[in-house]
Amino acid sequence: MNLPIPSVARHAFAAAALAAGLCGAVQAQPHQYTISVSLDYTGPFANVMDSWWGGQQSVFDWWNDTRGKQLGVKLNVKTHDMRYDPSMVARTWPQVLSQDKPIVFLGMGTPDLISLMKRLPNDKVPMIMGTAMLGPLWTPDGWHFSYRPTYSHEFAGLFAHLQSKLGENRPLRIGTVSTQGLAGWVDQVNGVVALAKTYPDRFQVVSSQWVDPQPISVTNQVREMAKEKPDVILVGTNTAQVVATAKALKELGLKIPIVTSSHNGLNEAAKAIAPADLEGSYSVFAFAPYNDPSVKVAEIFAKYNKTKGTWGITSAQTAGQALLALAAIERAVAKVGADKLSGQAVHDALLAGPFEADQFLGLLPPVALTREAPFPTERLAVKAMTMKNGQLEAVSTDWMPVPALAKW
């Protein structure tokens, strides 16, 4: 026989059920962690910052909505306008540590490296960059990482491809344009000189011209270089030097391809001069071009981007940065559990063996980090774009391998 439940008992039963439900809901909540990000909305890169941040933001939002839910982890991303200024980075970092307590930090470039490189091991926060690296950063046991090798490695991958296409048994003749006194820019040239010394039958640096950082004209220097008959001219510095070199070539009636990187590439230079003046020139980097159909991150950006930025080289570069951070976080979760993530766990995950290309949605090749260098030094590969009939096209649909290059 079913007896009616007294009113007081009914209320007690309901309260207990509610408490149990709330307890279950609390247990179902994901474990939350913070990723801190260096941005520049008031400094030299303010004009591209929406696209820069959009590449990161869209990937993190997608991950929280998909993989993060499956793993029981939610990432809160905190941005800091560092103005691309090392003093600002240094002043802001204590606040980042105390308030954000990040498990990983995404840096922008040289200011973050200068200010934080020596601090990170003590602070136990790994920093991941989206830019290529430099020879002076080739140090062991650091907590600063990049999925890209040095600029010189990236240039070497394209140079090797171009040399193989010469159709004759001779080295690729390389001219360089850069600025003395700026260590990072000089290092690019030093790395390519080391490449030529390592493979003298494949590469030859025939002329190095040193110009002002923001040159008005480099016609005299390019005229001098042309006497050595270079096959390509490397300008890995800034857009101003790319534009000045292209104008000099046009003035002299010369057709010599310019080789650039991602930060000063053809799409940026084409905003200042006619695409026809860049015909046959190149941009090379250790990630896939934004318009490569194999890059599935473009679909993520289209769906999740909340900024006014657009999908392009800048957003593709920073999406790669975010994807490496997420690959390390997933590996750390598998190792220590969703409830025990830390900067140390992410750091250890970064060094725990190669990340295969399928983790990067077509944007990156395999990435293998070791304690000997803060960037990959093995299984290196690059992709490149060239200007053809006024349009940017892929140089090769396949990843182009980079020749082995020892520390210079």
Side-chain angles (χ1 to χ4, degrees):
M1 165 175 196
N2 294 324
L3 297 175
I5 300 175
S7 175
V8 173
R10 284 202 306 269
H11 287 300
F13 180 83
L18 177 61
L22 288 174
C23 182
V26 169
Q27 291 175 348
Q29 290 298 310
H31 299 281
Q32 299 198 37
Y33 301 94
T34 299
I35 291 179
S36 300
V37 179
S38 176
L39 297 178
D40 171 27
Y41 276 101
T42 51
F45 293 98
N47 62 320
V48 299
M49 206 41 42
D50 278 337
S51 296
W52 184 287
W53 166 229
Q56 298 163 335
Q57 168 265 307
S58 57
V59 168
F60 286 129
D61 281 359
W62 160 79
W63 190 87
N64 276 334
D65 201 28
T66 55
R67 294 287 297 151
K69 284 185 177 180
Q70 297 169 11
L71 296 173
V73 172
K74 182 172 188 277
L75 300 174
N76 301 308
V77 184
K78 301 289 183 67
T79 62
H80 300 268
D81 187 352
M82 305 286 199
R83 304 176 188 171
Y84 205 71
D85 180 342
S87 63
M88 187 67 179
V89 175
R91 289 198 303 270
T92 307
W93 184 244
Q95 171 192 335
V96 172
L97 284 179
S98 62
Q99 295 184 8
D100 295 1
K101 297 180 173 57
I103 59 170
V104 65
F105 178 72
L106 301 192
M108 271 198 70
T110 302
D112 305 280
L113 289 161
I114 290 173
S115 302
L116 303 180
M117 232 175 76
K118 294 182 179 179
R119 292 198 53 168
L120 295 169
N122 291 328
D123 295 335
K124 302 300 180 186
V125 179
M127 176 168 65
I128 296 178
M129 311 297 295
T131 53
M133 301 291 265
L134 302 167
L137 302 176
W138 195 329
T139 55
D141 297 319
W143 280 56
H144 56 290
F145 301 95
S146 177
Y147 66 85
R148 297 171 63 179
T150 70
Y151 288 101
S152 302
H153 282 98
E154 293 187 337
F155 298 140
L158 176 62
F159 291 155
H161 176 83
L162 296 177
Q163 193 273 335
S164 71
K165 302 295 183 183
L166 283 177
E168 48 189 304
N169 188 22
R170 69 170 179 86
L172 183 77
R173 298 172 64 82
I174 304 165
T176 70
V177 172
S178 188
T179 300
Q180 287 182 314
L182 295 176
W185 290 2
V186 173
D187 179 74
Q188 294 179 1
V189 176
N190 289 343
V192 172
V193 169
L195 176 75
K197 289 180 179 178
T198 305
Y199 304 97
D201 57 330
R202 298 177 65 189
F203 312 107
Q204 184 178 2
V205 177
V206 297
S207 175
S208 292
Q209 298 295 320
W210 305 101
V211 304
D212 292 334
Q214 301 285 334
I216 297 173
S217 172
V218 298
T219 300
N220 289 337
Q221 291 92 336
V222 172
R223 181 186 291 113
E224 186 67 23
M225 180 188 294
K227 296 176 183 178
E228 304 300 329
K229 296 180 170 49
D231 297 302
V232 293
I233 301 175
L234 171 63
V235 188
T237 51
N238 61 16
T239 306
Q241 291 190 7
V242 174
V243 170
T245 302
K247 287 181 176 179
L249 290 169
K250 184 178 182 180
E251 182 179 341
L252 296 168
L254 300 172
K255 298 290 185 182
I256 305 173
I258 301 170
V259 173
T260 69
S261 183
S262 55
H263 63 277
N264 68 331
L266 301 179
N267 49 339
E268 293 301 316
K271 297 175 183 177
I273 55 177
D277 296 338
L278 296 166
E279 185 74 12
S281 290
Y282 302 94
S283 295
V284 59
F285 28 79
F287 56 95
Y290 67 95
N291 55 359
D292 188 323
S294 67
V295 177
K296 304 307 179 185
V297 194
E299 300 169 12
I300 291 173
F301 186 90
K303 181 177 179 180
Y304 285 92
N305 175 46
K306 297 175 183 175
T307 73
K308 296 179 181 178
T310 57
W311 178 249
I313 287 294
T314 299
S315 45
Q317 172 180 302
T318 57
Q321 183 184 18
L323 285 170
L324 178 57
L326 293 172
I329 288 170
E330 290 188 21
R331 178 180 284 178
V333 169
K335 176 72 173 179
V336 305
D339 59 334
K340 294 183 179 64
L341 280 183
S342 64
Q344 182 73 58
V346 175
H347 167 271
D348 295 347
L350 285 164
L351 294 173
F355 297 94
E356 296 304 326
D358 59 5
Q359 296 181 261
F360 303 123
L361 307 176
L363 189 59
L364 308 182
V367 174
L369 298 165
T370 68
R371 293 187 179 278
E372 285 67 46
F375 50 82
T377 56
E378 298 179 354
R379 299 174 68 187
L380 299 181
V382 297
K383 285 197 174 185
M385 306 174 76
T386 186
M387 189 71 75
K388 186 174 182 180
N389 298 322
Q391 300 294 322
L392 289 173
E393 295 187 2
V395 172
S396 171
T397 55
D398 298 322
W399 290 97
M400 297 179 289
V402 175
L405 182 59
K407 188 177 180 180
W408 53 90

